[in-house]
Amino acid sequence: MNQSERLDKRIESTLFYVSLFSYAYFYQASDQSTAARFDLIRSVLERRTLWIDGFCGYNTADIIHLGDHYYSVKAPGTSLTGLLPWSLVSWFLSVPLAARYEPLMWALATYLTILISISLPVALLVVVMYRFGKALGATPGRSAAIALITACATILFPYATEMTGEPVAAVCLMTSFYLVFTAAKQPDSLRAGCAGFLAGWAVLGDFPSLLVAAAIGLYSLRKLPKWRHLFSFALGGGIVAGILMLYNWGAFGGPFFMSYQGYK
């Protein structure tokens, strides 16, 4: 590793830890949007259901009533992102805290799940922004400045501390775009597949992101060098589309019924 590479590694590490610790300082508890995501997480893990009866009602209005059940109206991607972190954190905390300090256990479980599911990926996005600046030809100093502005001087900062869909979409879309943008220098089917999967996961976390994901898909037609790379991109996106259709089918009875249609 030469001196330039060592400098890049030090800058990336600093950007990552400064961002992560900045986000970790804040605990926003649970507003209605966040509560709808946690309700779905707990329903899936504790009851093996996609409806959130019993969890919702007193903590969120972001719900729809279909048939005999209540469902989260939010896109399911953020809840799916938080399934593993919540299950690990709640299991780890339940042993020392559940019996005597249950309120503290739930507060810590919520905080740590947000930290792992949202703050950590956003901190990694800051590193992606640094690399994106370098890929555009900027100096390390200017690239670091771009990354820090993204981390601390945009609306991404408060969203990095909430269990909502927007930060998930931001991380996935920007990383997908970066992978496609750099594909000319580093063509790889796995890289293209990851780009497609991330573009799809952005939509799974925040439905309006479909417009940006579609634009990245069109951009990949021009940027990805070979048909097998395009196929990998499409396959990655198709896997996430399949997950969304399975969720819609299991929750609402049809693969193309979106949760917001329940407002009718």
Side-chain angles (χ1 to χ4, degrees):
M1 184 182 296
N2 57 38
Q3 185 175 358
S4 176
E5 291 174 338
R6 287 197 296 270
L7 175 63
D8 280 339
K9 293 298 181 183
R10 287 200 298 270
I11 292 174
E12 289 177 359
S13 297
T14 302
L15 289 170
F16 173 78
Y17 288 115
V18 166
S19 301
L20 182 61
F21 291 149
S22 297
Y23 305 147
Y25 178 81
F26 297 93
Y27 172 56
Q28 300 218 39
S30 178
D31 60 14
Q32 296 194 38
S33 178
T34 297
R37 269 95 180 189
F38 279 119
D39 288 347
L40 179 56
I41 289 173
R42 294 191 63 190
S43 292
V44 171
L45 292 176
E46 296 176 24
R47 298 181 177 178
R48 303 296 189 266
T49 66
L50 297 179
W51 54 82
I52 59 175
D53 304 357
F55 292 111
C56 68
Y58 64 92
N59 64 354
T60 179
D62 291 333
I63 56 177
I64 53 175
H65 186 217
L66 294 174
D68 297 325
H69 298 292
Y70 289 94
Y71 299 87
S72 169
V73 77
K74 299 298 185 180
T78 304
S79 295
L80 296 178
T81 301
L83 283 176
L84 181 59
W86 175 270
S87 61
L88 294 176
V89 166
S90 59
W91 171 79
F92 179 78
L93 294 174
S94 64
V95 177
L97 298 177
R100 298 183 59 185
Y101 305 101
E102 187 176 0
L104 176 61
M105 183 195 76
W106 293 120
L108 283 175
T110 304
Y111 167 74
L112 291 174
T113 300
I114 295 173
L115 185 66
I116 297 170
S117 305
I118 305 296
S119 302
L120 178 61
V122 173
L124 291 172
L125 174 61
V126 176
V127 177
V128 171
M129 290 302 298
Y130 172 76
R131 294 188 178 184
F132 185 52
K134 293 289 297 294
L136 289 172
T139 63
R142 290 192 175 189
S143 298
I146 291 170
L148 282 174
I149 289 171
T150 303
C152 301
T154 70
I155 195 67
L156 188 63
F157 194 123
Y159 274 118
T161 65
E162 289 189 290
M163 194 75 177
T164 58
E166 290 84 358
V168 172
V171 170
C172 292
L173 289 173
M174 190 62 225
T175 306
S176 175
F177 180 72
Y178 169 76
L179 292 174
V180 175
F181 178 80
T182 55
K185 292 183 179 180
Q186 297 173 298
D188 183 87
S189 295
L190 180 61
R191 188 184 189 89
C194 288
F197 185 88
L198 288 171
W201 200 266
V203 180
L204 192 65
D206 186 49
F207 292 144
S209 299
L210 176 63
L211 297 175
V212 183
I216 294 174
L218 292 174
Y219 180 65
S220 69
L221 292 174
R222 175 181 178 275
K223 201 69 177 178
L224 295 179
K226 296 183 179 180
W227 281 106
R228 71 170 183 270
H229 299 142
L230 287 172
F231 175 78
S232 296
F233 182 94
L235 179 61
I239 290 173
V240 183
I243 293 173
L244 177 58
M245 287 191 286
L246 285 174
Y247 171 80
N248 289 338
W249 204 333
F252 312 123
F256 302 108
F257 187 95
M258 308 301 285
S259 58
Y260 286 102
Q261 293 176 255
Y263 276 135
K264 293 181 179 180

